[in-house]
Amino acid sequence: MMNISAVAFLLAEIICILQKMQNDLCEMINDVWFMDKITATVKKITTHTLRQMKAAGEKISMLTAYDYTMARLLDEAGVDVLLVGDSAANVMAGYETTLPITLDQMIYHAASVVRGVKRSLVIVDLPFGSYQEDARQALHSAVRIMKETGAHGIKLEGGEPVIEAVRRIVTSGIPVMGHLGLTPQSIYQFGTYAVRAAEEQEANRLLRDAHLLEEAGCFALVLEKIPAQLARKVTEELSIPVIGIGAGRYVDGQVLVVHDMLGMNESFKPRFLRQYARLQSIIQEAVRHYVADVKAEQFPDESEQY
């Protein structure tokens, strides 16, 4: 039989264990509460937020995203707007233009992005052929995107010819972002990726189209590859946010293709692009190192196996 001192020692040990379990449980509860509180205080970006930012003179940051992992990283880094661009046709699928990507493929990419986002506003491009026929087709495509992805709005290219489609979509409660200037879906009509609206006639038409898009209900407008002073004039005349890509510094915000901004294709260096990283060389060097380790039987080592 155990003596009294042994029993007392055992009871003391049990009490210590129970106290530690209680402390650990309290810590877990506090951590969960704290994370819930943090999540609850994350201020989601909305179309209203963007209007407030323009009014306050705060610039809007926007990048493309096409998958869950990248969307999560960009969202956590504080990007205001994530654009699921039809540029996925170029950077994800390797097509020469944006034209081949389908509505189903855009929905797949958009749904992946939305799952990675807690704060950013997610806007999805209507791909070529999904809205040009008429306003009814445009609405059908927009509704599919909203219902099947959980995105917060859509973007489409063009001015006066798409005004009826914009009105139809906006009237149905779906936020629409416009896109003027260089519109990649019309590249075969343009025949070049040169700066648009450099001449007075085209510049006047672009300015008129910008006003028409605002009047039709667009919550924001993208201007691509146009003279900076024209972009400035559009930005000053419109009450909605204007976001530029290759449109100078006087707009309300900037957008870039994330693969370009991260330097994942070092051969693509247009004038408007600033590369904030050189991931092409970093990735290739890492892969070369991995291949060498595998060939030399240095990976995995003893600590990397079960």
Side-chain angles (χ1 to χ4, degrees):
M1 295 182 60
M2 297 178 64
N3 58 36
I4 294 176
S5 60
V7 171
F9 179 80
L10 182 60
L11 287 173
E13 285 289 303
I14 292 172
I15 290 170
C16 286
I17 292 170
L18 290 173
Q19 286 178 336
K20 186 177 185 307
M21 290 175 64
Q22 182 183 28
N23 290 337
D24 289 345
L25 182 61
C26 287
E27 265 190 76
M28 282 176 54
I29 291 171
N30 286 335
D31 286 346
V32 170
W33 176 84
F34 181 74
M35 290 308 297
D36 283 347
K37 188 176 181 181
I38 290 293
T39 302
T41 57
V42 169
K43 188 175 181 181
K44 281 185 170 292
I45 301 295
T46 67
T47 56
H48 179 65
T49 309
L50 299 189
R51 288 193 292 270
Q52 289 180 317
M53 292 171 73
K54 179 183 175 87
E58 179 183 352
K59 298 297 184 179
I60 299 163
S61 61
M62 181 170 165
L63 285 170
T64 62
Y66 316 104
D67 65 85
Y68 166 83
T69 301
M70 184 64 78
R72 180 176 57 81
L73 292 173
L74 299 180
D75 181 69
E76 291 175 357
V79 178
D80 298 315
V81 184
L82 295 185
L83 173 65
V84 186
D86 56 3
S87 49
N90 309 120
V91 297
M92 301 299 287
Y95 289 112
E96 184 180 356
T97 72
T98 62
L99 274 63
I101 199 164
T102 67
L103 181 59
D104 285 338
Q105 289 168 330
M106 289 299 300
I107 287 171
Y108 166 80
H109 285 293
S112 301
V113 167
V114 169
R115 286 191 288 270
V117 166
K118 292 182 180 178
R119 174 185 174 273
S120 303
L121 184 75
V122 179
I123 303 300
V124 184
D125 270 340
L126 286 184
F128 178 74
S130 70
Y131 64 96
Q132 285 88 349
E133 186 176 335
D134 56 31
R136 183 176 180 180
Q137 182 203 31
L139 177 60
H140 175 75
S141 299
V143 168
R144 277 201 64 196
I145 285 174
M146 299 298 286
K147 287 178 69 69
E148 297 179 38
T149 72
H152 309 125
I154 63 96
K155 180 171 78 66
L156 51 72
E157 296 180 3
E160 187 172 6
V162 301
I163 293 300
E164 185 182 349
V166 171
R167 289 199 187 100
R168 186 77 175 270
I169 296 170
V170 170
T171 301
S172 300
I174 299 173
V176 176
M177 177 180 284
H179 184 149
L180 294 173
L182 177 63
T183 48
Q185 291 179 12
S186 303
I187 187 56
Y188 289 133
Q189 180 182 5
F190 294 149
T192 174
Y193 285 102
V195 173
R196 304 303 308 173
E199 303 297 328
E200 183 178 2
Q201 184 177 359
E202 187 179 355
N204 290 337
R205 184 166 63 248
L206 185 145
L207 185 60
R208 178 175 177 273
D209 282 342
H211 281 284
L212 289 174
L213 288 169
E214 179 178 31
E215 292 165 7
C218 283
F219 75 89
L221 177 65
V222 168
L223 296 178
E224 181 168 358
K225 213 167 182 182
I226 68 170
Q229 290 304 321
L230 175 59
R232 183 178 198 169
K233 183 175 178 62
V234 173
T235 303
E236 290 173 350
E237 291 192 11
L238 297 190
S239 62
I240 60 175
V242 176
I243 299 172
I245 175 168
R249 62 187 302 179
Y250 306 112
V251 289
D252 299 308
Q254 300 292 334
V255 58
L256 287 174
V257 172
V258 68
H259 291 68
D260 299 339
M261 186 273 288
L262 292 175
M264 297 180 75
N265 178 9
E266 292 183 359
S267 64
F268 182 68
K269 294 181 179 178
R271 181 176 179 177
F272 65 81
L273 174 62
R274 180 182 297 181
Q275 292 182 335
Y276 285 82
R278 299 290 188 272
L279 291 194
Q280 177 174 317
S281 57
I282 292 172
I283 291 170
Q284 288 179 333
E285 180 58 31
V287 172
R288 290 189 189 103
H289 193 183
Y290 164 75
V291 171
D293 282 354
V294 171
K295 299 291 186 183
E297 298 185 25
Q298 293 180 1
F299 173 79
D301 62 21
E302 292 291 332
S303 67
E304 295 164 327
Q305 61 188 18
Y306 298 100

